[in-house]
Amino acid sequence: MSDLVKQTHGSHGSCSIEQALGLVGDRWSLLVLRDCFRGLRRFDEIRRDLGIPRAVLADRLRRLVDAGILSRRRYSDHPPRDEYRLTQMGRELSPILVALMHWGDRWLQVGDPPTVLIHSACGEPFDLGFHCTHCAVDFGPLEVASRQSEAILP
Amino acid sequence: MSDLVKQTHGSHGSCSIEQALGLVGDRWSLLVLRDCFRGLRRFDEIRRDLGIPRAVLADRLRRLVDAGILSRRRYSDHPPRDEYRLTQMGRELSPILVALMHWGDRWLQVGDPPTVLIHSACGEPFDLGFHCTHCAVDFGPLEVASRQSEAILP
DNA sequence: CTAGGTCAGTTCAGGAATCGAACCAAGTCC
DNA sequence: GGACTTGGTTCGATTCCTGAACTGACCTAG
């Protein structure tokens, strides 16, 4: 299996969003990572949970390990067995999963969302928000604009 | 063209992350939406910027409009021309793009990241963070855990 | 020691999605 | 009229994903 990364389509090949999506922007990677956040570590645990084809999971795990998002760790020599854990780089993906989850909760009206991520200190759900150090205020997603063009109004 | 959504792979078909990825979890949708945040509105503007095949862009725009993330708006009758704008549902995707951008900036060492998103009130970049109302504290991505299993330590 | 099961994959054939290139229609510019 | 723009559609070739079967190393029960 191969690229998944599009080096420079268009004028913004260096955009961090494109770089990030090159690593985790396919249909399965973020779901695999969600399972890692849920504590799943073994090939077959993840495979059964997601229903992902074995070949694709093997490929995605290889890719995520190569990228430094997961680490492969031997937990048994006889038989040889590895498990996969989030590195710090991987754990810092949590804002992306949280943002996806909050947006899905808000707009896709799933009846009873299985709350996935919580504040580790207290076990409660939490908010995700923006903070402007320049203005010293918190704000919401509608106050986000772009430097190239301010015009995002509807 | 068809699904892209996997209804119920595994035991968590109702997970908001899965639902959200079913709409924007392919290789192009989030890049299209990034361009919308940057102020691009026309088919050919986006196509040229991303280098996306026309058929794929037409399909993604249709899908995003159907989902309510973009709106199609006629701006010329002769010739008939439409433009695409973010709805509120679409603009509330900004935390996902911001999270991807921040993570990419931090871990993918792009030399000189073209800063895409800013606080509309002041034009400056901003932070994205978690806030726990229960504990009344702000915290970072490493303090995120899962309700099913607390064990995300490395 | 043999049958069956687990775990972590690889291999393979078929189908689906994506790709670039070509084409089209409706209008504008000159 | 001829060239150009915009917003697509259609086409064949390639690439990717999928499910099913297979492997290999080990473990357990009988």
Side-chain angles (χ1 to χ4, degrees):
Chain A
M1 312 219 178
S2 58
D3 312 298
L4 190 74
V5 184
K6 296 246 160 319
Q7 214 49 293
T8 203
H9 35 47
S11 50
H12 296 277
S14 68
C15 170
S16 301
I17 294 175
E18 279 183 41
Q19 305 268 328
L21 289 175
L23 292 181
V24 299
D26 67 293
R27 187 127 65 267
W28 290 110
S29 293
L30 285 172
L31 292 174
V32 170
L33 291 165
R34 179 205 62 178
D35 275 8
C36 293
F37 274 99
R38 290 179 48 233
L40 307 191
R41 292 179 185 161
R42 319 254 256 245
F43 189 92
D44 245 45
E45 283 179 322
I46 299 172
R47 191 195 60 75
R48 270 196 303 271
D49 184 69
L50 294 179
I52 182 176
R54 295 162 184 282
V56 177
L57 179 56
D59 180 72
R60 292 304 179 272
L61 289 173
R62 228 189 330 265
R63 188 195 303 286
L64 292 169
V65 169
D66 287 351
I69 294 170
L70 295 179
S71 68
R72 178 186 258 115
R73 173 176 303 212
R74 179 68 42 113
Y75 70 90
S76 154
D77 276 314
H78 301 286
R81 291 285 181 270
D82 296 310
E83 62 183 17
Y84 299 91
R85 293 177 179 226
L86 292 162
T87 61
Q88 181 172 357
M89 185 183 181
R91 270 174 284 142
E92 292 195 11
L93 284 164
S94 60
I96 297 165
L97 293 174
V98 171
L100 281 165
M101 194 180 73
H102 283 186
W103 186 84
D105 284 349
R106 168 144 163 65
W107 289 102
L108 272 27
Q109 65 247 34
V110 284
D112 189 17
T115 308
V116 175
L117 299 172
I118 55 174
H119 182 205
S120 62
C122 68
E124 295 296 317
F126 51 82
D127 297 323
L128 176 71
F130 300 119
H131 178 79
C132 183
T133 48
H134 182 261
C135 303
V137 294
D138 294 322
F139 61 97
L142 299 185
E143 283 179 68
V144 173
S146 156
R147 178 154 281 166
Q148 286 91 335
S149 162
E150 323 298 281
I152 64 159
L153 303 174
Chain B
M1 312 215 178
S2 58
D3 310 295
L4 193 73
V5 185
K6 296 248 157 319
Q7 215 50 292
T8 203
H9 35 48
S11 50
H12 297 274
S14 67
C15 169
S16 302
I17 294 175
E18 279 182 40
Q19 306 266 327
L21 289 175
L23 292 180
V24 299
D26 68 291
R27 188 128 62 267
W28 292 109
S29 293
L30 284 172
L31 292 174
V32 170
L33 291 165
R34 180 206 61 177
D35 275 6
C36 293
F37 274 99
R38 289 180 47 233
L40 307 191
R41 294 181 182 160
R42 320 255 256 245
F43 189 91
D44 246 45
E45 282 178 322
I46 299 172
R47 192 195 59 75
R48 269 197 302 271
D49 184 69
L50 294 179
I52 182 175
R54 294 164 183 281
V56 177
L57 179 56
D59 178 71
R60 292 302 178 274
L61 289 172
R62 231 188 329 266
R63 188 196 302 286
L64 291 169
V65 169
D66 288 351
I69 293 170
L70 295 178
S71 68
R72 178 186 259 115
R73 173 176 302 213
R74 177 69 41 115
Y75 70 89
S76 155
D77 278 314
H78 302 285
R81 293 283 181 270
D82 297 309
E83 62 183 15
Y84 300 90
R85 292 177 181 228
L86 292 163
T87 62
Q88 181 172 356
M89 185 183 180
R91 270 175 284 140
E92 292 197 10
L93 284 165
S94 60
I96 296 165
L97 293 174
V98 171
L100 280 166
M101 195 180 71
H102 283 187
W103 186 84
D105 283 349
R106 169 143 161 66
W107 289 100
L108 272 28
Q109 66 248 30
V110 283
D112 190 15
T115 308
V116 175
L117 299 171
I118 54 174
H119 183 205
S120 62
C122 68
E124 296 297 317
F126 51 83
D127 297 323
L128 175 71
F130 301 119
H131 178 78
C132 183
T133 47
H134 182 261
C135 304
V137 294
D138 294 323
F139 60 97
L142 300 185
E143 283 180 68
V144 172
S146 157
R147 178 154 282 164
Q148 286 91 335
S149 161
E150 322 298 279
I152 63 159
L153 304 175

Coordinates of all heavy atoms in Angstrom, one line a residue, chain A residues 27-36 38 40 43-53 57, chain B residues 6 8-12 18:
Chain A
R27 N -10.1 7.1 6.1 CA -11.4 6.7 6.7 C -11.2 5.9 8.0 O -12.1 5.8 8.8 CB -12.2 5.8 5.7 CG -13.6 5.5 6.2 CD -14.6 5.8 5.2 NE -14.6 5.1 3.9 CZ -14.0 5.5 2.8 NH1 -13.3 6.6 2.8 NH2 -14.0 4.8 1.7
W28 N -10.0 5.3 8.3 CA -9.9 4.4 9.4 C -8.9 5.0 10.5 O -9.1 4.7 11.7 CB -9.3 3.1 9.0 CG -10.3 2.3 8.2 CD1 -10.2 2.0 6.8 CD2 -11.5 1.6 8.6 NE1 -11.2 1.2 6.4 CE2 -12.1 1.0 7.5 CE3 -12.1 1.5 9.9 CZ2 -13.2 0.2 7.6 CZ3 -13.3 0.8 10.0 CH2 -13.8 0.2 8.8
S29 N -7.9 5.7 10.2 CA -6.9 6.1 11.1 C -7.5 6.7 12.4 O -7.1 6.3 13.5 CB -5.8 7.0 10.5 OG -5.1 6.3 9.5
L30 N -8.4 7.7 12.3 CA -8.9 8.3 13.5 C -9.7 7.4 14.3 O -9.8 7.5 15.5 CB -9.6 9.6 13.1 CG -8.7 10.8 12.7 CD1 -9.5 11.9 12.1 CD2 -7.9 11.3 13.8
L31 N -10.4 6.4 13.6 CA -11.1 5.5 14.4 C -10.2 4.5 15.2 O -10.5 4.2 16.3 CB -12.1 4.7 13.5 CG -13.2 5.5 12.8 CD1 -14.0 4.7 11.8 CD2 -14.1 6.0 13.9
V32 N -9.1 4.1 14.5 CA -8.1 3.3 15.2 C -7.6 4.1 16.5 O -7.5 3.5 17.6 CB -7.0 3.0 14.3 CG1 -5.8 2.3 15.1 CG2 -7.4 2.0 13.2
L33 N -7.3 5.4 16.3 CA -6.8 6.2 17.4 C -7.9 6.4 18.5 O -7.6 6.4 19.6 CB -6.3 7.5 16.8 CG -5.1 7.4 16.0 CD1 -4.8 8.6 15.2 CD2 -3.9 7.0 16.8
R34 N -9.1 6.5 18.0 CA -10.2 6.6 19.1 C -10.2 5.4 19.9 O -10.3 5.4 21.2 CB -11.5 6.7 18.4 CG -12.7 6.8 19.4 CD -14.0 6.3 18.8 NE -13.9 4.9 18.4 CZ -14.9 4.3 17.8 NH1 -16.1 4.8 17.7 NH2 -14.7 3.0 17.5
D35 N -10.0 4.2 19.3 CA -10.0 3.0 20.1 C -8.7 2.9 21.0 O -8.8 2.4 22.1 CB -9.9 1.8 19.1 CG -11.3 1.3 18.7 OD1 -12.3 2.1 19.1 OD2 -11.5 0.3 18.1
C36 N -7.6 3.5 20.5 CA -6.4 3.6 21.4 C -6.7 4.4 22.6 O -6.4 4.1 23.7 CB -5.2 4.1 20.6 SG -4.7 3.0 19.4
R38 N -9.6 4.7 23.9 CA -10.4 3.9 24.8 C -9.7 2.8 25.5 O -10.3 2.1 26.2 CB -11.6 3.4 23.9 CG -12.6 4.4 23.5 CD -13.7 3.8 22.6 NE -14.2 2.7 23.3 CZ -14.4 1.4 22.7 NH1 -14.0 1.3 21.4 NH2 -14.9 0.5 23.3
L40 N -7.9 0.3 24.0 CA -7.6 -0.9 23.2 C -6.2 -0.9 22.7 O -5.7 0.2 22.3 CB -8.6 -1.1 22.1 CG -10.1 -1.0 22.4 CD1 -10.9 -1.4 21.2 CD2 -10.4 -1.8 23.6
F43 N -4.1 -5.9 18.3 CA -4.6 -6.0 16.9 C -6.0 -6.5 16.9 O -6.9 -5.9 16.3 CB -3.6 -7.0 16.2 CG -3.9 -7.0 14.7 CD1 -3.2 -6.2 13.8 CD2 -4.8 -7.9 14.2 CE1 -3.4 -6.2 12.5 CE2 -5.0 -8.0 12.8 CZ -4.4 -7.1 12.0
D44 N -6.3 -7.6 17.5 CA -7.6 -8.2 17.4 C -8.7 -7.5 18.1 O -9.8 -7.5 17.7 CB -7.6 -9.7 17.8 CG -7.8 -10.6 16.6 OD1 -7.3 -10.3 15.5 OD2 -8.7 -11.5 16.7
E45 N -8.3 -6.9 19.2 CA -9.3 -6.0 19.9 C -9.8 -4.9 19.0 O -11.0 -4.7 18.9 CB -8.6 -5.3 21.1 CG -8.4 -6.2 22.3 CD -7.8 -5.4 23.5 OE1 -6.9 -4.6 23.2 OE2 -8.1 -5.6 24.6
I46 N -8.9 -4.3 18.4 CA -9.2 -3.2 17.5 C -10.0 -3.7 16.3 O -11.0 -3.1 15.8 CB -8.0 -2.4 17.1 CG1 -7.3 -1.8 18.3 CG2 -8.3 -1.3 16.1 CD1 -5.9 -1.2 18.0
R47 N -9.5 -4.8 15.7 CA -10.1 -5.3 14.5 C -11.6 -5.7 14.8 O -12.5 -5.4 14.0 CB -9.3 -6.5 14.0 CG -9.7 -7.0 12.7 CD -9.2 -8.4 12.4 NE -9.7 -9.4 13.4 CZ -10.9 -9.9 13.4 NH1 -11.8 -9.5 12.5 NH2 -11.3 -10.8 14.3
R48 N -11.8 -6.4 15.9 CA -13.2 -6.8 16.2 C -14.0 -5.6 16.5 O -15.2 -5.5 16.1 CB -13.2 -7.7 17.4 CG -13.0 -9.2 17.1 CD -13.5 -10.1 18.2 NE -12.7 -9.8 19.5 CZ -11.5 -10.4 19.8 NH1 -11.0 -11.3 19.0 NH2 -10.9 -10.1 20.9
D49 N -13.5 -4.6 17.2 CA -14.3 -3.4 17.5 C -14.7 -2.7 16.3 O -15.9 -2.2 16.2 CB -13.5 -2.5 18.5 CG -14.4 -1.3 18.9 OD1 -15.3 -1.6 19.7 OD2 -14.1 -0.2 18.5
L50 N -13.8 -2.5 15.4 CA -14.1 -1.6 14.2 C -14.7 -2.4 13.0 O -15.3 -1.8 12.2 CB -12.8 -0.9 13.7 CG -12.2 0.1 14.7 CD1 -11.0 0.7 14.0 CD2 -13.2 1.2 15.0
G51 N -14.4 -3.7 13.0 CA -14.8 -4.5 11.8 C -14.0 -4.1 10.6 O -14.4 -4.3 9.5
I52 N -12.8 -3.6 10.9 CA -11.8 -3.2 9.8 C -11.2 -4.5 9.2 O -10.9 -5.4 10.0 CB -10.8 -2.3 10.4 CG1 -9.8 -1.8 9.4 CG2 -10.1 -2.9 11.6 CD1 -8.8 -0.7 9.9
P53 N -11.0 -4.5 7.9 CA -10.3 -5.6 7.3 C -8.8 -5.7 7.9 O -8.2 -4.7 8.1 CB -10.2 -5.3 5.8 CG -11.4 -4.4 5.6 CD -11.5 -3.6 6.9
L57 N -6.0 -2.8 8.7 CA -5.5 -2.4 10.0 C -4.0 -2.6 10.2 O -3.3 -1.8 10.7 CB -6.2 -3.3 11.1 CG -5.8 -3.1 12.5 CD1 -6.0 -1.7 12.9 CD2 -6.6 -4.0 13.5
Chain B
K6 N -20.0 4.2 7.0 CA -20.1 2.8 7.4 C -21.1 2.8 8.5 O -20.8 3.1 9.6 CB -18.8 2.3 7.9 CG -17.7 2.2 6.9 CD -17.3 0.8 6.7 CE -16.7 0.7 5.3 NZ -17.3 1.5 4.3
T8 N -22.6 1.2 11.4 CA -22.3 0.2 12.3 C -21.2 -0.8 11.9 O -21.4 -1.9 11.6 CB -23.6 -0.6 12.8 OG1 -23.3 -1.2 14.0 CG2 -24.0 -1.6 11.8
H9 N -20.0 -0.3 11.9 CA -18.9 -1.2 11.9 C -18.5 -1.4 13.3 O -17.9 -0.5 13.9 CB -17.7 -0.9 11.0 CG -17.4 0.6 10.9 ND1 -17.3 1.4 12.0 CD2 -17.1 1.3 9.8 CE1 -17.0 2.6 11.6 NE2 -16.9 2.6 10.3
G10 N -18.7 -2.6 13.8 CA -18.4 -2.8 15.2 C -19.5 -2.3 16.1 O -20.6 -2.0 15.7
S11 N -19.2 -2.3 17.4 CA -20.2 -2.0 18.4 C -20.5 -0.6 18.6 O -21.3 -0.2 19.4 CB -19.7 -2.7 19.7 OG -18.4 -2.2 20.0
H12 N -19.8 0.3 17.9 CA -19.9 1.7 18.2 C -20.5 2.5 17.0 O -20.0 3.7 16.8 CB -18.6 2.3 18.7 CG -18.2 1.6 20.0 ND1 -18.6 2.1 21.2 CD2 -17.4 0.6 20.2 CE1 -18.1 1.3 22.1 NE2 -17.4 0.4 21.6
E18 N -17.6 8.6 14.7 CA -17.9 7.8 13.5 C -18.9 8.5 12.6 O -18.7 8.6 11.4 CB -18.4 6.4 13.8 CG -17.3 5.4 14.2 CD -17.9 4.1 14.4 OE1 -18.8 3.6 13.7 OE2 -17.4 3.4 15.4

